[in-house]
Amino acid sequence: MGVRRRRRAGREIPWLDDEAGRLVRPYTVSNGRTRPTAHFDLLTMVMATGKRPVTCQGPDYAQVLGLCGGPVSVAEIAAHIRLPAVVTKVLLADLVDCGALAARAPVPVPACGSGPPNRTDRALLEAVLHGLRKRL
């Protein structure tokens, strides 16, 4: 496919080469920021609110918004836009801050029965180990 280009100020600027990858460093996409203004887990679901962002302009923001027509996880967005998760989280936080996205943290699934959730189910782990040993 070659080099894909962005148009800026009447001239085309290369930004993605099919062989080399992204020609713009990821930290430049987030203006050098490495910490989002909100906490996002990789499983946090985000969805466009329908509000057009005034402050969050640019092709990266537009691409993210285009992916958020329905609920989508942070991990999926990062994979689609081919950026590190931390940069993706900065972009998403900007869009949440300006009202263009809504975010919902993942809901922990409680264990069966009463009491606090059991984080390690010994029987399940032993069954997995047994299955792996049978395959090897």
Side-chain angles (χ1 to χ4, degrees):
M1 268 175 98
V3 175
R4 294 182 220 162
R5 300 176 181 274
R6 286 186 182 167
R7 184 171 291 282
R8 183 178 290 168
R11 59 190 178 116
E12 288 189 1
I13 300 170
W15 63 279
L16 183 68
D17 182 287
D18 288 335
E19 291 180 23
R22 199 173 181 95
L23 299 177
V24 175
R25 294 284 185 201
Y27 68 88
T28 60
V29 173
S30 62
N31 293 322
R33 295 174 294 147
T34 58
R35 294 194 178 146
T37 57
H39 174 74
F40 290 96
D41 187 279
L42 288 177
L43 298 178
T44 298
M45 301 300 283
V46 293
M47 185 172 165
T49 61
K51 181 180 176 186
R52 300 212 46 124
V54 177
T55 56
C56 301
Q57 301 278 329
D60 295 301
Y61 290 111
Q63 185 180 16
V64 168
L65 279 174
L67 295 169
C68 296
V72 62
S73 73
V74 171
E76 290 177 274
I77 294 169
H80 282 293
I81 65 174
R82 295 182 172 171
L83 283 175
V86 69
V87 174
T88 302
K89 290 176 184 181
V90 170
L91 294 175
L92 292 171
D94 290 348
L95 290 166
V96 167
D97 290 345
C98 73
L101 285 182
R104 185 175 58 100
V107 178
V109 177
C112 294
S114 60
N118 184 1
R119 298 218 184 264
T120 55
D121 183 352
R122 185 175 179 94
L124 175 63
L125 292 174
E126 287 175 356
V128 170
L129 182 60
H130 177 70
L132 290 172
R133 285 183 179 151
K134 282 177 62 175
R135 286 193 162 276
L136 297 176

